[in-house]
């Protein structure tokens, strides 16, 4: 008797310090996927591994996360399995949610429950989509905010210390790929070369400013002073643009989770995004929600303040957290209530075990 060969595994390409790869990593934990169901494959963004032709064949945007899944309708074992690559966070999280229901544990060693994370009603679905859209909008882009996290000399110096080595390695990797391709017998497409060159230019523009990051402005020549001035202007704009995103989010989040007391897909995006924004504002994984919101408000500056309109006791009760001793009149920002709820979850503790990223 021949037994059916097991389905090939899916592969999640991720990087452990990536914002958006953290959303599917949280999904794997929340859905109780077993290690036999998804292979984790790390792509080192800090050395430009995402730009290699091998990775570009998987995801031509050169971003993580990517989920490569076997197509299930290859019934004939003689036919090699075919795969498709899902290349954006929203689609990956939705796919992971759909692919494991409480009844579909047949191919897994995991016996963990797999609650549905999809919004249950059309109204919830609309709120969920609005939240996810805001988090992935240009104004909310957590990666852009990281590159723009220097609005004065002191911040720029700190940013330069952490980012310069990564950007140098990225430029070196791109230079090497461009150079090796010139010598190669079989060359990559012109589109790929142009993509590398474009990325090289974009990276070196920021690197130009960070190279001098430790120098006071008074020590710079006129050209470098000009570039720093432009950068400060763009950085101020980027952080000012975040205010609107935060205000909109506060209106949409029902609390303490995005859609109320049940975790849903939007929370996985919100958790990953908030962790990065909190880190940029000097927050730490051990901070409570009110501390994170205070640090964020101070970091944004300009007397920015999020509405404090959510009952702390109510938020904690809904999240299943102890709520005694909390005066019924105490209020907090919805993002603070969300932070307190999400950071108690085993999935969050696992993904952020080494700190915020
Ligand atoms: N729209 C994409 C964006 C993904 C994205 O920006 N990923 C970042 C890491 S969080 C990345 O891979 N950046 C490439 C780089 O740093 O070179 C998605 O939602 O998946």
């Amino acid at each position: 008797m021949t037994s059916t060969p097991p389905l090939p595994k899916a592969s999640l390409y991720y990087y452990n310090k990536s914002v958006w790869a953290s959303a599917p990593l949280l999904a794997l934990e929340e859905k109780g996927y077993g290690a036999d169901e998804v292979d984790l494959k790390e792509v080192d963004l800090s050395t430009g591994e995402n730009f290699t032709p091998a990775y570009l064949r998987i995801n031509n945007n050169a971003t993580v996360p990517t989920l490569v899944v076997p197509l299930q309708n290859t019934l004939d074992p003689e036919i090699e399995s075919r795969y498709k690559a899902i290349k954006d966070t929203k689609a990956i999280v939705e796919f992971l949610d759909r692919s494991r229901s409480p009844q579909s544990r047949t191919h897994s060693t995991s016996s963990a429950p797999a609650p549905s994370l999809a919004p249950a009603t059309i109204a919830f679905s609309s709120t969920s989509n609005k939240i996810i859209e805001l988090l992935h909008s240009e104004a909310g882009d957590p990666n852009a905010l990281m590159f723009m996290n220097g609005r004065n000399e002191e911040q720029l110096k700190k940013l330069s210390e952490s980012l310069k080595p990564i950007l140098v390695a990225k430029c070196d990797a791109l230079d090497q790929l461009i150079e090796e391709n010139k010598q190669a017998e079989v060359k990559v497409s012109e589109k790929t070369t142009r993509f590398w060159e474009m990325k090289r230019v974009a990276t070196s523009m920021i690197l130009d400013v960070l190279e001098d990051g430790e120098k006071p402005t008074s020590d710079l020549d006129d050209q470098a002073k000009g570039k720093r001035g432009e950068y400060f202007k763009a950085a101020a704009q980027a952080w000012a643009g975040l205010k609107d995103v935060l205000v909109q989010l506060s209106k949409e989040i029902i609390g303490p989770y995005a859609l109320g007391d049940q975790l849903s897909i939007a929370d996985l995006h919100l958790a990953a995004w908030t962790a990065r924004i909190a880190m940029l504002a000097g927050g730490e994984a051990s901070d409570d929600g009110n501390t994170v919101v205070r640090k964020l408000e101070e970091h944004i500056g300009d007397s920015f303040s999020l509405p404090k309109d959510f009952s702390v006791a109510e938020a904690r009760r809904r999240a299943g957290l102890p709520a005694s001793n909390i005066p019924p009149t105490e209020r907090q920002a919805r993002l603070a209530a969300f932070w307190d709820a999400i950071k108690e979850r085993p999935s969050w503790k696992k993904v952020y075990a080494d700190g915020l990223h």
Side-chain angles (χ1 to χ4, degrees):
M1 203 177 82
T2 55
S3 62
T4 324
L7 263 179
K9 272 185 184 179
S11 297
L12 177 66
Y13 292 82
Y14 77 107
Y15 176 56
N16 62 0
K17 294 199 182 88
S18 140
V19 187
W20 292 126
S22 303
L25 289 174
L26 289 165
L28 291 182
E29 297 302 318
E30 290 292 344
K31 295 292 291 183
Y33 275 91
D36 57 334
E37 290 172 291
V38 180
D39 261 335
L40 290 181
K41 297 193 172 161
E42 184 155 27
V43 182
D44 190 348
L45 298 187
S46 73
T47 58
E49 200 187 336
N50 51 320
F51 296 119
T52 57
Y55 190 68
L56 289 177
R57 275 194 289 276
I58 297 168
N59 181 341
N60 56 354
N61 302 321
T63 56
V64 291
T66 307
L67 185 71
V68 175
V69 292
L71 293 174
Q72 307 218 348
N73 56 358
T74 37
L75 292 175
D76 184 346
E78 298 298 313
I79 300 173
E80 221 181 281
S81 294
R82 289 174 51 238
Y83 292 84
K84 75 167 173 183
I86 310 178
K87 302 184 223 171
D88 96 294
T89 309
K90 186 167 185 259
I92 293 172
V93 171
E94 279 170 3
F95 181 91
L96 289 173
D97 182 45
R98 275 200 314 272
S99 303
R100 192 155 195 277
S101 66
Q103 291 79 34
S104 66
R105 290 194 206 127
T106 40
H107 291 289
S108 169
T109 53
S110 168
S111 58
S116 170
L117 300 175
T121 64
I122 292 174
F124 277 160
S125 181
S126 151
T127 303
S128 172
N129 283 334
K130 272 191 218 155
I131 291 174
I132 295 171
E133 239 168 68
L134 276 167
L135 301 174
H136 287 270
S137 67
E138 209 180 316
D141 183 349
N143 286 309
L145 286 161
M146 179 175 71
F147 289 119
M148 292 288 133
N149 201 25
R151 285 167 293 158
N152 54 45
E153 282 189 21
E154 194 192 331
Q155 288 179 0
L156 185 65
K157 188 164 181 275
K158 243 171 101 183
L159 185 70
S160 162
E161 280 160 12
S162 62
L163 273 189
K164 202 162 69 178
I166 296 169
L167 295 184
V168 168
K170 199 164 162 178
C171 282
D172 288 350
L174 287 163
D175 283 343
Q176 199 183 334
L177 285 163
I178 293 166
E179 208 39 52
E180 276 174 8
N181 186 56
K182 281 185 192 152
Q183 318 295 332
E185 259 174 48
V186 185
K187 297 195 194 309
V188 297
S189 68
E190 246 186 63
K191 195 169 150 221
T192 301
T193 330
R194 274 203 304 275
F195 178 73
W196 284 336
E197 281 163 356
M198 199 187 74
K199 289 285 175 189
R200 176 71 173 84
V201 171
T203 312
S204 57
M205 270 164 68
I206 298 185
L207 190 54
D208 261 6
V209 176
L210 294 186
E211 290 277 21
D212 292 328
E214 73 290 347
K215 292 187 196 158
T217 306
S218 51
D219 285 5
L220 299 178
D221 63 28
D222 284 349
Q223 198 192 8
K225 257 186 208 160
K227 280 185 185 171
R228 182 176 288 189
E230 289 300 313
Y231 172 83
F232 279 156
K233 240 191 261 168
Q237 265 172 15
W239 280 88
L242 183 66
K243 289 182 200 172
D244 195 38
V245 174
L246 286 165
V247 170
Q248 294 298 324
L249 272 178
S250 304
K251 287 187 186 143
E252 297 297 341
I253 294 171
I254 295 170
Y257 293 114
L259 303 183
D261 51 7
Q262 296 289 320
L263 186 89
S264 70
I265 280 176
D267 294 303
L268 308 181
H269 293 265
L270 188 58
W273 185 87
T274 314
R276 165 62 65 84
I277 301 293
M279 182 200 85
L280 297 177
E284 284 170 24
S286 56
D287 286 341
D288 64 17
N290 288 342
T291 307
V292 160
V293 165
R294 181 181 47 76
K295 286 182 177 175
L296 185 54
E297 289 170 339
E298 282 170 9
H299 191 68
I300 289 174
D302 239 357
S303 313
F304 176 72
S305 167
L306 276 170
K308 315 286 182 301
D309 56 2
F310 202 64
S311 155
V312 180
E314 175 73 10
R316 295 188 67 83
R317 259 195 305 275
R318 285 196 195 172
L321 301 171
S324 55
N325 302 333
I326 295 177
T329 49
E330 201 172 314
R331 296 281 180 274
Q332 64 181 165
R334 271 156 216 260
L335 205 58
F338 168 74
W339 181 271
D340 289 334
I342 198 86
K343 78 191 276 280
E344 289 306 316
R345 300 187 76 91
S347 62
W348 196 92
K349 289 183 181 167
K350 184 166 177 187
V351 171
Y352 294 102
D354 296 330
L356 302 179
H357 53 255

